[in-house]
Amino acid sequence: MAGSIAINTVLLFLILQLGFSWGTKLNNSSGLNGYYEVCGYGRDKSKYRGEAEIVSVDDNIYLVNWEINNKRDKKIEMYRGIGFLNDNRLCVYYENGATLYSIKNEELTGKWIMTKIEKAYQAKDISKTLTLGTEILNKRKDLNISPAVFSEELLRKAESGDAISQFLLAYSYLHGACVQKNEKEFVKWLTKSAEQGNPQAQSKLAALYLSGLFLDKNEKEGVKWLTESARQGVVKDQVTLGECLKEGIGVTQDPAKAFKCFEKAAYQGDSKGQAYLASCYLRGEGVVKDEKESVQWFRKADDQKNGAAQYYLGACYNNGVGLSKDETQAAYWFKRSAEEGDPSGQNALGRCYYAGLGLSKDQNKAAEWFQRSAVKGHPEGQYNIGICYDKGIGVNIDKKEAIKWFVMSADQGDANAQHSLGVCYYNGYGVEKNVSEAMSWFSKSANQGNIGARNALANIKANADTDRILKQVESRPQKRTDEGNVEKLLQKNRNQSGRLDYNFQPYSQDLVKRAEEGDAKAQYNLGVCYAKGEGVTQEFKDAVSWWTKAAKQDFVLAQHDLANCYYNGDGINKDYKEAVMWYTKSSGKGYAASQYNLGNCYFYGTGVGKDEKEAVKWYTKSAEQGNVDAKRNLSVCYYEGIGVEKDEQKAVKWFTESHAVPYSPELVRKAESGDANGQNELGLCYQFGKGVGKNEKEAVKWYTKSAEQGNPQAQYNLARCYSTEAGVAKNEKEAVKWYTKSANQGDMAGQFCLGLCYINGTGVEKDEKKAVKLFTEPALSGHPMAQNSLGRCYATGTGVRKDENAAVRWYTRSAEQGNVYGQNAVAWVLATSNDSAIRNGQEAVNWAQKSIQKLGEADSNSMDTLAAAYAEQGDFAAAVSTQEKAISTLKDMAKSKEFQAHLKSYQDKKPWRDNE
């Protein structure tokens, strides 16, 4: 079950104090994404100016949000629409109608030209619109404008069978542009458009069927539509169809046809197709093996910075395939691949550092790259980082962490990991000794030809006492479960349920008899036995059967676990609607884990109509019973205003409760046993006095233990201690060291604080360009302080070319999250910029007032900004009065001359300009 909401923001206080971070931002790659200057012309030839944001939501499909500053009428006009590219023109449908716009030139200079066809617009007469549009095109070809069409006409044209209109209407329903959001209508119109041969609609419909998004997953249907769109020249679908043919997904496996698909895409310049084509030549899949031809195609893909191609080029150099063997060149290409984010390249680079192949040996770097590869799900990378933790290679020895990575790798079929996991279970390394489990993993590894596993099995079989265990293991189904692992789910549910009304009873004939007689608890117990393989052969189908019987008698745990089975497809076909039905029943009886899962279903629209208010309702019920995940999601909802009115105090409350693990003997034991998370949590307890006397030195001790094991939050917390002299002598270089470690693992707070160190030269040589890079990633992910700092860099030209438009965008993003510094900064630029297109007195006043609401009138900087905003509006009396208050509360007397100059300007009835 999905456990958390992906978000684009961070609670500032908690990030700075506790080092926690949330979420990632969805990255829509498109050349059009971004903000553009908009120019428009009214009937009276008056000029409009403003800014538009274009956001790619799919191939060639865009959401467009723009605002026009109508200076004549002194108002801001807001528009939002759905659009698509056609012959280098952007066609946008919006609430009042739709107009075709275009980028002024192909270089994407950020300039837009816009016009309204006023008479036809007012009459809503399509024929007149078309006629007038043609006239405008003939007279003003430099504008590259096409005729206007209205939203009502979009529906009419879609209903009359126009495929493009059907496609645009589908996306309007998906994103709620001009119409109410409706996913069923999205699928309906998308299907109609696809059936009429629209390749874009066919492509999207194929993706929905293959992923199961908005539709029941149907790989055959997905391949059917892929074939249609690929036939019409959709290059990415030619590659995807090739993948399906290569792997036998929804179609009979056919390497030769797969090769043809990859070849078509490759010759059209698609880097992924080129990489696949090279791989086919390298392995002789669907074509005669040709290593030299393979290398040529890998090089073509590399020209487009394809990480997978770079990895294969490294492999060719490493193995002497199609190229002379050269370890230095191999390491070079592996490094390029790794830096592009390819997990195979990252794992290979780790091997180079470990073995000294083409690079100097460096165990720390080896472990770092293995870790990066493992986090991305690479099975060999997971195995290798497991070995690092098991043997202490580049990291501290941590048997439990090793087991975690071995399990992940083994579950993906890595024979070495399966063997190592067997060794751990057989000897009790990092896990409770379990000969049966050990033999299960040895068997899986041996079946793949692993010699060590075969020898281990031979030695164990020599012991007659294990014969019975071996037969039992060999008779078990080989399926392992992740989210569907009932043992883990039951334990989690009991920990967070708020009630403990069930004790497990082992398998017995008496238990079977009572279950058959209709005893609900016995039926549930028997289901658990089958799910866990306790006393019987593990069989989820039998577990589902008994849980169904108990659930129908209103036994709450059975209802919850039955819902999990329907949700995960354990022992029964996946059925989200059925899962929701059982979650609802157990939630109604107060079961916290079900309430949390039900909240997720409503939040994501899984098995039930999306309803954010209903999601908040169930998150709240679960959170009030102590469910940590529900608390975390609830904090996001309050902070973002999702399904509930925004309330930052409640957001902070729930966020704090979700992360603040109280001091307890169990937490101490967890920390003392070497658990890195436990050590960090114990450090927080000591630093902030949660359940124990405040002791910053003790906090530093536990942060250090956790940080040395690689915990990024602990590394950040430790850096903060060194930076702020909390429990340890101030040491800026040591702070930089730990900020760096935290930042390298993607911790947003660590990246931001490291950026501050570089921009100020604190504990490290000053490097403004590096600071900008460090601010950018967390800023894109929603970190408000990073957004504000990045805005300041653009505003002042620090580490980057000066760009006030970019500064305003980043300041605004920070301000919209409630950051008072961002609010004050954007207000100042809007009030004092030398560029009249940027200045906006009313907006400046609004942001400055928001800043003052939080900081109070005693904050001289905010009052100084408000005075400048009043002056830009032409209200010089208010500007003078406000500036005098700013001067009266000024504490930093170094600014006195500057503040007096501002006052003099307002007294002379002149607004302040930032170059004065």
Side-chain angles (χ1 to χ4, degrees), residues 302-560:
D302 165 59
D303 289 342
Q304 300 184 60
K305 295 186 177 180
N306 184 291
Q310 292 164 341
Y311 162 73
Y312 277 112
L313 273 173
C316 289
Y317 275 112
N318 190 57
N319 299 314
V321 175
L323 293 164
S324 299
K325 188 168 183 175
D326 188 328
E327 290 181 352
T328 302
Q329 278 293 309
Y332 167 79
W333 287 106
F334 288 148
K335 188 172 184 181
R336 284 190 60 175
S337 173
E339 289 171 346
E340 287 293 332
D342 184 81
S344 295
Q346 292 169 336
N347 178 61
L349 183 59
R351 290 200 309 268
C352 290
Y353 277 118
Y354 175 74
L357 299 174
L359 293 166
S360 300
K361 282 188 177 182
D362 190 326
Q363 290 189 350
N364 290 333
K365 286 186 177 180
E368 175 190 338
W369 286 108
F370 287 147
Q371 181 88 30
R372 291 191 185 190
S373 175
V375 167
K376 291 192 172 183
H378 193 278
E380 188 179 330
Q382 292 168 338
Y383 166 70
N384 286 335
I385 193 61
I387 290 293
C388 290
Y389 279 111
D390 187 49
K391 307 296 183 184
I393 299 170
V395 293
N396 292 331
I397 291 177
D398 187 334
K399 297 291 186 182
K400 288 185 178 180
E401 191 71 8
I403 289 288
K404 179 185 87 172
W405 290 112
F406 286 153
V407 169
M408 289 185 186
S409 178
D411 280 343
Q412 292 195 70
D414 187 274
N416 290 325
Q418 291 167 342
H419 173 239
S420 294
L421 199 53
V423 171
C424 292
Y425 274 110
Y426 190 75
N427 295 292
Y429 295 153
V431 68
E432 187 176 345
K433 186 171 181 176
N434 187 327
V435 176
S436 174
E437 190 73 7
M439 293 174 70
S440 175
W441 286 113
F442 284 143
S443 296
K444 291 179 181 180
S445 181
N447 289 340
Q448 296 191 66
N450 187 283
I451 301 300
R454 289 178 176 177
N455 291 337
L457 279 175
N459 291 332
I460 294 173
K461 287 178 181 178
N463 186 340
D465 290 339
T466 65
D467 285 348
R468 177 181 55 79
I469 298 173
L470 180 62
K471 290 176 183 177
Q472 182 180 352
V473 170
E474 290 175 343
S475 68
R476 288 184 185 176
Q478 292 300 302
K479 179 182 177 184
R480 284 179 61 84
T481 61
D482 295 318
E483 291 187 36
N485 187 298
V486 174
E487 176 66 19
K488 293 179 181 177
L489 281 173
L490 286 177
Q491 186 60 43
K492 181 177 179 181
N493 294 341
R494 292 183 200 119
N495 289 343
Q496 300 184 6
S497 67
R499 52 186 296 184
L500 295 172
D501 57 355
Y502 163 74
N503 292 312
F504 173 70
Q505 297 174 12
Y507 181 86
S508 67
Q509 289 303 315
D510 177 62
L511 181 65
V512 175
K513 181 182 178 183
R514 286 188 289 111
E516 291 174 342
E517 291 174 348
D519 185 304
K521 281 191 177 182
Q523 290 168 341
Y524 176 70
N525 263 297
L526 190 55
V528 174
C529 291
Y530 277 109
K532 295 167 62 178
E534 291 279 354
V536 290
T537 301
Q538 186 183 41
E539 184 54 71
F540 268 91
K541 286 184 179 179
D542 289 332
V544 168
S545 175
W546 286 109
W547 283 342
T548 301
K549 294 178 187 291
K552 288 180 178 178
Q553 295 192 65
D554 284 339
F555 193 77
V556 64
L557 285 174
Q559 292 171 337
H560 174 78

Side-chain angles (χ1 to χ4, degrees), residues 26-33 54-63 82-85 167 171 174-175 186 190 200-201 203-208 213-214 234 236-237:
L26 193 63
N27 180 23
N28 289 315
S29 59
S30 168
L32 285 182
N33 279 0
I54 308 179
V55 182
S56 171
V57 295
D58 209 326
D59 288 345
N60 213 29
I61 301 298
Y62 300 88
L63 276 178
I82 195 84
F84 76 111
L85 276 180
F167 184 58
Y171 270 87
L174 178 62
H175 294 285
F186 162 64
L190 188 70
Q200 282 184 288
S203 176
K204 185 61 179 179
L205 195 58
L208 297 186
L213 182 65
F214 305 134
V234 179
K236 73 179 182 65
D237 287 350

